[in-house]
Amino acid sequence: MIPEQQQGITEEEKELILIEELSQKLEGLYKDMEQIRRENLLFESYIMRNSKDLQREDEAEDKKQKTKKKNQPVDKKTMQLTNEEKYEIAQFESDTLKKNIEEGRIRSDQILETLRAILEETDKAITEIRKDAFDFQREILFAGENTRTGKIEAERIEKYFKEKLAQKDAQIEKYKQKKANIEQQITKTSNQIQKKEEMGDDLKFIDFHQLQIENKKYVKQIDEKNKKLLGLKIATGKISSVLIEERNQLQNEIDQCNKLIQEIDDKNKKIAKTQEQTKKVKTQIASLTEKKKKFAIQLEQVNNATNEDIPKAMTYVLQKRKEEELVYKIRNTNRKIEIAELAYQKACKALGVNPIQQ
């Protein structure tokens, strides 16, 4: 009996070789299954896109099969797709996918342009609203207030809104004219394109590619300009808000200054009135002093007079009554002078003015 080692290959090596071959076949089967899965996905996509047409074809095929004999064998080769049919389906799906991608890109560009236009329009509207609010505060809230009543004048508000409506009407007419010009340009351009298409004067691929490059360059420049413009608009809005705050603060300072000026005028009037009253009191004091001196002289004369110079009793009573009345008036006048001097000193102290020394 010949030993197994002498036969060249052992049983273990044969098993290993067999396992390796089976693993290679299994790997090939996996690759085939993956390819078949992808083909199935491609065919499903094709069927979903063309379900109506395929349904009509299936109905026609069913009618043809019904006309055949029942016992006639069916050729299995006719149930399978040829390589040409597979290639046509794959080519159709590839073209459809490219077309969908191009349509999606066009739609996204249109949406982007629309959003840019909306953003620009919104920025313009915000700027106009801020400008209108600033104009309303300046012309109505600040300048439209009546100094006497402290209320806003209705005529000024009516005039302001009439002017604004006139401006809006002029702006609408301007936009209508601009729209008409743009429509004329669109019509003119459409006619030119139609004429070129009719004449067959189409652009070459190189020219079209060059135009696309220039278009991208200009779009990039426009985006940069729009970003700069947006930054300037934001800065302008901030400056406008700061300016409004400063104007409000200035208006408050002006109101406070006017209030202080009014208070100073009132105090000056009080001082003038007090000084006038003081002059009157001084005049009265001088007059009473003169009268007092006269009465003192008369009293001295009465005291030094003899019996012949003494008046009668009735005359004495009358003169005594006059003397008492004059003394009473002098006391009242002195009291008024004291009250006036106290009021004068109090007013000078309140105004921070040194009283005039007499």
Side-chain angles (χ1 to χ4, degrees):
M1 185 174 180
I2 301 171
E4 291 182 356
Q5 289 82 3
Q6 293 179 359
Q7 291 180 359
I9 300 174
T10 63
E11 291 293 334
E12 294 179 355
E13 291 177 351
K14 288 181 180 181
E15 290 179 358
L16 292 174
I17 292 170
L18 182 61
I19 291 170
E20 186 176 358
E21 290 177 354
L22 290 173
S23 62
Q24 290 177 356
K25 289 181 180 180
L26 182 62
E27 185 177 358
L29 289 173
Y30 280 141
K31 290 181 180 180
D32 293 338
M33 288 173 64
E34 182 65 22
Q35 185 176 359
I36 292 169
R37 187 182 67 80
R38 292 181 179 179
E39 288 180 357
N40 288 334
L41 292 174
L42 182 66
F43 296 152
E44 286 177 1
S45 176
Y46 178 78
I47 290 168
M48 289 177 67
R49 294 181 193 277
N50 303 278
S51 58
K52 293 182 179 179
D53 296 335
L54 292 174
Q55 188 176 1
R56 292 174 183 174
E57 291 179 0
D58 291 338
E59 289 176 357
E61 188 69 22
D62 292 338
K63 289 180 181 179
K64 289 181 181 179
Q65 288 180 0
K66 286 179 180 180
T67 55
K68 292 181 180 180
K69 294 180 179 179
K70 294 181 180 180
N71 296 327
Q72 186 176 357
V74 179
D75 190 3
K76 294 183 179 180
K77 292 182 179 180
T78 59
M79 300 296 292
Q80 296 179 354
L81 295 173
T82 61
N83 292 329
E84 293 179 356
E85 291 174 346
K86 291 180 180 180
Y87 175 76
E88 289 178 358
I89 292 171
Q91 187 66 31
F92 177 79
E93 286 297 313
S94 176
D95 294 338
T96 305
L97 185 61
K98 289 179 180 179
K99 184 178 178 181
N100 291 334
I101 292 170
E102 185 67 21
E103 289 177 354
R105 187 182 64 80
I106 293 170
R107 284 196 300 270
S108 62
D109 291 338
Q110 290 176 353
I111 293 169
L112 184 61
E113 291 296 328
T114 304
L115 293 175
R116 285 176 181 171
I118 292 170
L119 181 61
E120 186 176 357
E121 186 68 24
T122 305
D123 292 335
K124 288 181 180 179
I126 291 170
T127 305
E128 289 179 358
I129 290 168
R130 286 179 177 174
K131 185 176 180 297
D132 291 338
F134 176 72
D135 293 339
F136 185 80
Q137 288 181 353
R138 183 186 61 187
E139 297 181 7
I140 302 300
L141 297 181
F142 295 154
E145 185 176 355
N146 192 341
T147 56
R148 185 172 58 84
T149 61
K151 296 181 180 180
I152 297 173
E153 297 177 355
E155 293 80 4
R156 188 181 288 272
I157 297 174
E158 185 178 0
K159 182 180 178 182
Y160 173 79
F161 281 108
K162 283 183 179 179
E163 290 177 355
K164 285 295 179 182
L165 290 174
Q167 291 177 4
K168 294 295 181 183
D169 292 336
Q171 193 174 8
I172 289 168
E173 292 296 330
K174 183 179 177 181
Y175 285 152
K176 285 182 180 179
Q177 187 176 1
K178 188 175 181 180
K179 180 184 176 183
N181 293 329
I182 292 171
E183 287 178 352
Q184 289 178 0
Q185 291 178 2
I186 291 170
T187 305
K188 184 178 178 181
T189 307
S190 300
N191 293 331
Q192 289 178 356
I193 292 171
Q194 188 176 1
K195 287 180 181 179
K196 286 184 178 181
E197 288 178 354
E198 290 176 356
M199 294 173 63
D201 189 11
D202 296 331
L203 294 173
K204 295 181 180 179
F205 178 75
I206 298 173
D207 296 334
F208 183 71
H209 186 64
Q210 186 176 0
L211 290 173
Q212 282 184 337
I213 294 171
E214 291 179 356
N215 186 24
K216 290 180 181 179
K217 181 180 178 182
Y218 291 141
V219 168
K220 187 177 179 181
Q221 291 178 357
I222 290 169
D223 291 336
E224 292 176 356
K225 298 291 183 183
N226 288 330
K227 288 179 181 179
K228 290 181 180 179
L229 181 61
L230 183 60
L232 291 173
K233 286 180 179 179
I234 293 170
T236 304
K238 291 181 180 178
I239 292 169
S240 298
S241 61
V242 172
L243 181 61
I244 290 169
E245 291 177 358
E246 294 295 333
R247 284 181 182 275
N248 292 332
Q249 188 175 359
L250 178 61
Q251 187 65 31
N252 293 330
E253 294 294 335
I254 290 170
D255 294 338
Q256 190 174 0
C257 182
N258 293 329
K259 187 178 179 180
L260 292 174
I261 290 169
Q262 186 67 30
E263 289 179 357
I264 290 169
D265 291 337
D266 294 338
K267 289 183 179 181
N268 288 330
K269 289 178 181 179
K270 288 181 180 179
I271 291 171
K273 187 176 180 181
T274 306
Q275 289 177 353
E276 186 178 356
Q277 291 177 357
T278 305
K279 288 180 182 179
K280 289 181 180 180
V281 171
K282 287 180 180 179
T283 305
Q284 292 177 1
I285 290 170
S287 177
L288 293 172
T289 305
E290 291 292 331
K291 291 180 179 180
K292 185 177 180 182
K293 288 179 181 179
K294 290 180 181 179
F295 286 126
I297 293 167
Q298 290 177 2
L299 182 61
E300 187 178 356
Q301 290 176 356
V302 169
N303 291 328
N304 294 328
T306 60
N307 291 328
E308 295 177 355
D309 296 329
I310 295 172
K312 295 180 180 181
M314 192 65 187
T315 306
Y316 175 75
V317 171
L318 294 173
Q319 289 181 355
K320 191 68 175 176
R321 185 181 294 174
K322 288 182 180 180
E323 183 183 359
E324 290 176 356
E325 291 177 356
L326 290 172
V327 170
Y328 180 74
K329 288 182 179 179
I330 289 167
R331 287 177 182 174
N332 290 335
T333 305
N334 289 330
R335 183 61 180 167
K336 289 181 180 179
I337 290 168
E338 291 176 359
I339 293 169
E341 286 179 352
L342 290 173
Y344 174 69
Q345 291 177 2
K346 187 176 180 181
C348 292
K349 186 177 180 181
L351 296 172
V353 180
N354 293 323
I356 300 171
Q357 300 294 330
Q358 298 296 331

